Amino acid sequence: MDHVLWTFPPNSLHLRPIIMQAIEGIFGELTNPKKVVITTHQKPDGDAMGSSLGLFHILTQLGHQVSVISPTNWASFLNWMPGCKTVIDYEKNKERSDGLINDADWIFCLDFNTLGRTKNMEQPLLAAGGEKILVDHHQQPQTEVFAYGISDTGKSSTAEMIYDFIIASGNGDLITTDAAECIYAGVMTDSGSFRFPSTTANVHKLVAFLKEKGLQHSKVHEAIYDHFSENRLRFIGNVLLNRLQLFYEYNTALIAIPQADLIKYDIKTGDTEGLVNYPLSIEGIKLATIIIDRGEERKCSFRSKGDFDVNTFGRTYFNGGGHFNAAGGQTYQPLEEAVETFIAAMKESKEQLATYKF
Ligand code: 5GP
Ligand code: MN
């Protein structure tokens, strides 16, 4: 808590830390051109990239000098997004990125809430002098590192929060079709195509607003879901046939993928996204997990239905976290040991898993 500023706020008898002021605090400065960096979590998904580029289009029109930096590479199904060609991959452009981070007046941190999720960018971000601004919908934010921000776990996506930010700051007119496509892609992918409970009336109003701005939504669905390789489809067939284990006593499914499968089917970043959801289509399955041997680490994804909290599960057993019904994590154990860890964790969670109620 060293970096928390202590003060006596008005009307308070107690000493309280000043942490992360409301995002409205920057509205007045939005028309004052600045050097801006927008960043997101490693291996950005549709929401991470969509929210970053949605904001990029607005801030650029407001006259800011904006750079979007991704901590790592990303799935090729995101390359169609307007502005994606300008996104800098930190791992490939470390020196240039460090310079931009160092010089930035504002650093927007989107779709993650602990700096560790930016992998090698954590230290440069910590050291940066610019104000860090959080916009995110995950649980347990590291609020003390952000000067301004908004964290709302009730939101479908960070892209929805960027839309809210644009509207609330009076910049709705700046939403071009390019910005609309990015925002829509983020909301659509993170809401499971408008299926998850987080799909509120506000989300549907947002879609109506974007449609009025000229959004062709079917183009976005096609760009994201219909540009994969034959290999990927055959890989999914192999996974469902040979790598899926079911533990009916625990209403649980596990997919463990050895690295050899990734090599055999020439699997690229993003090709495994969404796979974890397949077992949830089996009646009664409450927890679905995938563990992928990526070589340098074993990457885990957790999805649940109803009252099973995978944010806590991922945090407790796999150094991760996320949302109540969708979370991730990683481990450095070999795949077989990671599977054993998972099975032990599942057994410890029997009470929460065995009952199936919605
Ligand atoms: P995915 O399984 O798609 O990688 O992630 C599911 C959700 O959990 C996403 O919202 C993602 O940002 C979050 N998440 C994934 N991995 C981690 C992790 O290691 N730590 C935390 N805190 N969140 C994660
Ligand atoms: Mn998100």
Side-chain angles (χ1 to χ4, degrees):
M1 294 287 280
D2 296 342
H3 29 292
V4 171
L5 239 146
W6 293 86
T7 188
F8 286 101
N11 308 322
S12 170
L13 294 175
H14 303 287
L15 197 63
R16 282 203 327 217
I18 290 188
I19 46 170
M20 203 171 83
Q21 300 179 55
I23 192 118
E24 286 78 7
I26 70 165
F27 284 5
E29 280 294 302
L30 277 171
T31 46
N32 188 358
K34 297 190 192 325
K35 288 183 189 145
V36 178
V37 162
I38 300 174
T39 192
T40 186
H41 58 78
Q42 64 152 320
K43 302 277 174 189
D45 57 8
D47 187 31
M49 192 61 96
S51 57
S52 297
L53 288 173
L55 180 63
F56 166 82
H57 290 298
I58 306 306
L59 295 182
T60 304
Q61 290 178 74
L62 285 168
H64 300 281
Q65 199 180 311
V66 192
S67 309
V68 180
I69 306 176
S70 166
T72 64
N73 69 349
W74 53 87
S76 59
F77 67 76
L78 301 175
N79 286 339
W80 64 272
M81 276 192 201
C84 195
K85 283 186 184 65
T86 68
V87 178
I88 303 165
D89 176 344
Y90 182 80
E91 289 183 328
K92 292 192 188 125
N93 301 277
K94 197 171 169 310
E95 219 167 289
R96 182 176 161 216
S97 305
D98 282 341
L100 290 165
I101 293 168
N102 215 33
D103 292 346
D105 303 307
W106 277 348
I107 303 175
F108 280 89
C109 298
L110 308 187
D111 203 39
F112 70 97
N113 61 21
T114 52
L115 297 186
R117 296 223 57 225
T118 62
K119 212 177 161 186
N120 300 325
M121 276 174 64
E122 180 176 11
Q123 289 313 319
L125 284 176
L126 265 176
E131 286 175 320
K132 291 188 259 303
I133 302 160
L134 174 76
V135 182
D136 179 68
H137 64 139
H138 295 93
Q139 311 216 4
Q140 289 151 274
Q142 191 182 10
T143 43
E144 69 275 13
V145 299
F146 302 103
Y148 294 92
I150 180 156
S151 166
D152 185 348
T153 57
K155 285 287 172 183
S156 65
S157 52
T158 302
E160 180 191 355
M161 300 174 78
I162 288 298
Y163 167 83
D164 291 345
F165 170 79
I166 297 166
I167 300 295
S169 61
N171 291 301
D173 287 351
L174 300 183
I175 300 183
T176 55
T177 46
D178 280 357
E181 286 180 359
C182 298
I183 293 168
Y184 182 82
V187 179
M188 186 265 281
T189 52
D190 250 31
S191 67
S193 300
F194 310 101
R195 169 184 173 170
F196 300 150
S198 56
T199 310
T200 58
N202 188 58
V203 171
H204 287 288
K205 285 177 191 159
L206 165 163
V207 176
F209 183 95
L210 300 182
K211 286 294 291 177
E212 280 168 0
K213 291 283 181 186
L215 170 76
Q216 287 180 271
H217 68 278
S218 53
K219 183 181 142 190
V220 175
H221 287 255
E222 215 177 288
I224 289 191
Y225 294 117
D226 298 345
H227 280 82
F228 291 110
S229 63
E230 174 187 341
N231 266 356
R232 174 186 170 268
L233 203 58
R234 298 200 184 277
F235 166 75
I236 293 173
N238 165 63
V239 164
L240 298 180
L241 198 59
N242 301 312
R243 307 294 180 213
L244 171 65
Q245 290 175 261
L246 289 152
F247 305 88
Y248 283 109
E249 206 185 327
Y250 299 88
N251 297 319
T252 293
L254 171 67
I255 294 172
I257 304 182
Q259 203 183 9
D261 283 8
L262 305 182
I263 296 165
K264 182 177 172 192
Y265 291 92
D266 193 24
I267 290 306
K268 305 266 190 322
T269 300
D271 281 348
T272 53
E273 201 154 315
L275 249 183
V276 62
N277 293 305
Y278 281 73
L280 288 179
S281 65
I282 302 170
E283 188 174 9
I285 293 302
K286 187 170 175 176
L287 169 65
T289 294
I290 192 166
I291 308 177
I292 304 171
D293 189 349
R294 278 197 188 152
E296 75 268 26
E297 64 178 19
R298 262 52 61 205
K299 164 76 182 116
C300 312
S301 286
F302 311 102
R303 299 291 185 273
S304 69
K305 278 187 183 168
D307 61 359
F308 189 74
D309 175 7
V310 287
N311 168 49
T312 303
F313 187 84
R315 245 167 238 280
T316 309
Y317 300 105
F318 289 97
N319 190 34
H323 309 284
F324 193 91
N325 292 125
Q330 55 276 309
T331 170
Y332 296 100
Q333 291 182 310
L335 187 63
E336 299 72 32
E337 281 177 35
V339 166
E340 283 168 24
T341 299
F342 173 78
I343 291 174
M346 173 185 78
K347 289 183 175 169
E348 278 181 32
S349 313
K350 184 167 186 180
E351 214 173 302
Q352 300 100 286
L353 286 168
T355 52
Y356 190 85
K357 64 170 191 291
F358 288 104

